[in-house]
Amino acid sequence: MRLTSGTKAGAVLAATALLAAGCSGSPDDGSEPTGPVELTFWTWAGLGEVVDIWNAENPDIQVVVNEQDGGDPAVTKLLTAIEAGSGAPDIMQAEYQKIPQLVSNDAVADISGLLSEETPGHFADGVWNAVTLGSDAVYAVPQDSGPMQFYYRADIFEKYDLEVPTTWEEYAEVARELHEKDPDKYLGTFSANDAGWFVGLTQQAGASWYGIEGESWSVNIDSPEVRQVAEYWGGLVEEGVIDNKPMYTPEWNQGLNDGTQVGWLSAIWAPGVLNSNAPDTAGKWEMAPMPQWDESAEATGTWGGSATAVTTQSEHPEQAARFIEWLNTDPVAVQALVDVSSLYPADVAGSEDALAEPPEFFSNQEDFYEIAAQTAQTTQPFTYGPNINVAYSAYNDEFAKATEARSADAFVAAVEAMQQITVDDLVNSGFDVAE
Amino acid sequence: MPEPITQDTPRRRATDARRPASAHALAPPSGTRARHGGATRRGRHIAPWAFLSPAIVLFTLFLAAPIGYSVYLSFRTEKVSGLGLGSGSRQEVWNGVANYVSAVADTEFLASVGRIGLYGLIVVPVMLGSALLFALLLDARRTRARRFGRITIFLPYAVPAVISSLLWGFLYLPAVSPFYWVFDRLGWSVPSLFGPNLVIFAVANIAIWGGIGFNMVVLYTALKSVPSELYEAAELDGASQIGIAWRIKIPIVLPAIIMTFVFSMIATLQVFAEPTTLRPLSNAISTTWTPLMKVYRDAFTRGDLYSAAATSVVIAVATFVLSFGFLRLVQSRAFGQEER
């Protein structure tokens, strides 16, 4: 709860800073360079066509998209360029969980003075907090978010006469029932490869892996909420009613295609993945809110989503800031983010019109985006820390062992080990860590 | 190498006549003085350096300097103050040998060393044994389709490790593998190669598949240089083909076998691409499965270049000591004739 008040304080501070900045920052203060400015943009969200719209309208600020492989390699490349002192782009796509690490390595610039005062109002408090880290600086503009939902094969649910689970207890029962009726089929898999997915599950349960207490960090991975989630999944894997294979493998794709993977706890971008991995199952899937721990307090977590940042090496931060502001809050751009890049924009109010129709893959579910908007509002606050990369790789290793061991005790032990590894790394690096 | 200088004075003169021209071409500043006495000597000193300079420059820039920098980094570390946010909150400081102490004492590192020890015990004998067998078969007199055989055996070596790991990965995954489909039809229950006990064989298999070709070519080339009179003599003495292989061919190509052994040992210590590519497919391969994977994780996942540098230096020294230690050990036996 300390976090929530910290979030508010941060938001207030950020707002005041922006007001102050709004008065002084006018784009036409004579420092405009002559001739068109070229900005490079590292992204992997398929934004090429959206950027084309900007380039057509802004001959003086031309943005060149440089396609990246994905979040991790792009961050590695950026940090290397920052370390080297040159070679970084002007603009960088940054996943929310990477922002503390990027800020801590002095890779992304504070653009609080360069944004319009209306910009923060476009985003939910929780999302805005992720780009300010609760401080009065602004390190990025949110682009898309990934509230989590439960995706399932409606046809198979019908065939086996299964009810869509609304609580985790029901989810476990459905998992058992399905696996009993067809031992080849699983309601889901516990993937040791996807730390971000596990973060979302624990976020829903009310966990926040990090916290800021005054001038020090606290690490709360080994918390009652995370243990609860770990024990629950460990139990299901131990029983054998939930699969233990990683996601995003050829085998998992095969499972999505042939119906051995009947459900997927995923995020709003799931239709895109299902469409490319299992195109033949179009129209067979449906989406429902996440099963709940406490039915009286609907909650969800997030998986994925990113913001757009200006790097500290950019020679044109002002122009870059103007572009990322347009990209993520202008109605035309937001519409294009939905239509062209299939993103779920963080500027939820601005994208209401764009999200009227369900995605093609879910054309059978009219209320797709209604449910999405409803669940997005129940996203729980969460704070990422500066060594989330260490926590993530610890997740990969520790939970790989645990899922292979197939025991609930091993799952809890994995949580303990993650806490230890993450704290040790922070202390080793010299961060102030609160016990 | 030293003998031509003491013996070959006439030849040295002869080459001297040609020297000034090359010195002129390669080192223009000294060309003007080339006419005066003693300048030819100077040119003689410069020419080798001029020839060597591209290699020296490249070696310095791309090998020596990075190694030096890694060694420097391995004694440093980064200290963060407070929350570590904002610029200037990170500082690089000296860290003495602390990085080395923690690198060597790290349980994950030790586990990864043990793992590649076992991996080496599987890969090296099987790979070199098969390579030698294939080389001998290709060299045997009655072998047909020699060219075809040579190319087929060599071909896997031309497949990059990442590609071959992906291909094998598909074949290992029970749900998509044609092998498991067949096993299933036959009613056999074959355990997944991605289980914690078998995964080392899964990785080793890829290395063996890719490595046999190269080693076969090295050994086959060595066999080709053996004078055929030896075989004729052996045949006259009544030796069988197997006897010839065992008593003549293998002892003669022993230096080549030792060389391939040293290469294989180094490759084992540096195994990285195959397990890294397979890792997302299996719960049994951790991010620190091999020593180099740990270096990669420390440097690029954890952002700790300093520990990564220390661990790499440890691996480099170990490789050096093992390779040269082994060569010293076998030198007297294998290269004894050349020494004496």
Side-chain angles (χ1 to χ4, degrees), chain B residues 6 21 28 44 58 61 67 96 105 119 138 161 169 200 206 240 243-244 252 275 281 298 301 326 340:
Chain B
T6 46
R44 216 162 48 225
L58 291 175
L61 274 182
I67 289 176
Y119 171 87
L138 284 175
I200 197 159
I206 301 175
S240 66
I244 290 175
I252 285 182
L281 304 181
D298 287 350
T301 309
F326 174 76
R340 265 174 248 136

Side-chain angles (χ1 to χ4, degrees), chain A residues 228-296:
Chain A
Q228 179 188 18
V229 173
E231 215 168 346
Y232 173 82
W233 286 98
L236 291 179
V237 171
E238 187 173 329
E239 261 183 75
V241 294
I242 285 289
D243 202 3
N244 69 341
K245 306 264 173 45
M247 300 191 285
Y248 291 103
T249 67
E251 201 169 25
W252 181 75
N253 285 348
Q254 176 75 10
L256 292 179
N257 274 295
D258 64 18
T260 47
Q261 293 287 337
V262 176
W264 187 24
L265 294 156
S266 184
I268 192 69
W269 39 260
V273 175
L274 292 173
N275 189 29
S276 58
N277 292 10
D280 295 342
T281 60
K284 293 178 177 170
W285 293 83
E286 270 180 40
M287 177 256 262
M290 292 281 278
Q292 298 294 316
W293 291 107
D294 176 1
E295 261 185 300
S296 61

Side-chain angles (χ1 to χ4, degrees), chain B residues 113 116-117 119-125 127-128 207 214-215 256-272 291-292 315-330:
Chain B
V113 170
I116 55 158
Y119 171 87
L121 283 180
I122 300 167
V123 170
V124 179
M127 182 171 70
L128 294 186
F214 170 77
N215 293 296
I257 295 176
I258 286 166
M259 190 188 79
T260 53
F261 181 85
V262 171
F263 283 172
S264 307
M265 196 166 68
I266 294 173
T268 297
L269 290 168
Q270 298 183 345
V271 60
F272 175 76
L292 279 199
I315 295 170
V317 169
T319 311
F320 194 81
V321 168
L322 278 177
S323 316
F324 283 86
F326 174 76
L327 280 180
R328 252 197 117 81
L329 193 77
V330 296

Side-chain angles (χ1 to χ4, degrees), chain B:
Chain B
M1 272 307 163
E3 32 93 47
I5 293 175
T6 46
Q7 286 181 351
D8 251 354
T9 341
R11 201 167 77 192
R12 232 169 124 211
R13 288 257 162 72
T15 42
D16 270 356
R18 265 174 277 140
R19 276 285 158 76
S22 62
H24 189 80
L26 284 161
S30 67
T32 45
R33 284 199 212 155
R35 270 171 237 121
H36 306 289
T40 42
R41 186 161 294 162
R42 199 189 153 86
R44 216 162 48 225
H45 285 298
I46 287 171
W49 288 109
F51 282 119
L52 282 174
S53 62
I56 291 173
V57 167
L58 291 175
F59 177 83
T60 313
L61 274 182
F62 296 107
L63 201 67
I67 289 176
Y69 185 57
S70 300
V71 173
Y72 167 78
L73 280 182
S74 69
F75 292 105
R76 310 273 293 173
T77 195
E78 203 167 50
K79 280 292 166 205
V80 181
S81 48
L83 285 174
L85 301 180
S87 57
S89 58
R90 277 175 189 246
Q91 256 185 332
E92 215 187 276
V93 293
W94 286 105
N95 200 26
V97 293
N99 289 339
Y100 285 94
V101 173
S102 50
V104 177
D106 190 287
T107 48
E108 285 171 38
F109 179 68
L110 297 176
S112 72
V113 170
R115 217 170 276 130
I116 55 158
L118 180 59
Y119 171 87
L121 283 180
I122 300 167
V123 170
V124 179
V126 175
M127 182 171 70
L128 294 186
S130 321
L132 182 63
L133 182 68
F134 284 131
L136 289 170
L137 285 176
L138 284 175
D139 192 54
R141 219 168 250 191
R142 264 175 280 166
T143 306
R144 283 160 207 279
R146 210 167 277 186
R147 229 172 139 67
F148 176 76
R150 215 166 52 204
I151 288 173
T152 329
I153 299 166
F154 184 73
L155 214 54
Y157 179 68
V159 179
V162 172
I163 311 286
S164 61
S165 303
L166 284 174
L167 293 174
W168 279 105
F170 269 86
L171 296 179
Y172 291 155
L173 283 171
V176 290
S177 166
F179 292 121
Y180 281 89
W181 188 84
V182 172
F183 296 153
D184 226 32
R185 292 295 168 284
L186 293 171
W188 300 350
S189 135
V190 178
S192 169
L193 274 170
F194 278 142
N197 299 323
L198 293 180
V199 74
I200 197 159
F201 293 97
V203 180
N205 175 51
I206 301 175
I208 293 167
W209 179 80
I212 286 179
F214 170 77
N215 293 296
M216 181 272 295
V217 166
V218 172
L219 298 174
Y220 181 70
T221 314
L223 282 173
K224 280 280 133 197
S225 63
V226 177
S228 55
E229 299 90 73
L230 279 178
Y231 304 147
E232 282 160 22
E235 267 168 26
L236 285 178
D237 287 344
S240 66
Q241 286 296 319
I242 294 172
I244 290 175
W246 188 248
R247 284 159 196 267
I248 300 179
K249 292 185 177 181
I250 293 180
I252 285 182
V253 298
L254 196 60
I257 295 176
I258 286 166
M259 190 188 79
T260 53
F261 181 85
V262 171
F263 283 172
S264 307
M265 196 166 68
I266 294 173
T268 297
L269 290 168
Q270 298 183 345
V271 60
F272 175 76
E274 295 90 350
T276 304
T277 314
L278 292 180
R279 204 193 67 75
L281 304 181
S282 165
N283 284 329
I285 301 176
S286 65
T287 53
T288 55
W289 205 73
T290 72
L292 279 199
M293 284 173 79
K294 183 181 185 303
V295 170
Y296 180 84
R297 185 205 66 178
D298 287 350
F300 298 112
T301 309
R302 294 197 165 177
D304 185 357
L305 286 176
Y306 313 95
S307 311
T311 313
S312 347
V313 171
V314 170
I315 295 170
V317 169
T319 311
F320 194 81
V321 168
L322 278 177
S323 316
F324 283 86
F326 174 76
L327 280 180
R328 252 197 117 81
L329 193 77
V330 296
Q331 209 167 28
S332 50
R333 285 197 52 152
F335 304 108
Q337 291 167 315
E338 291 174 28
E339 290 285 294
R340 265 174 248 136

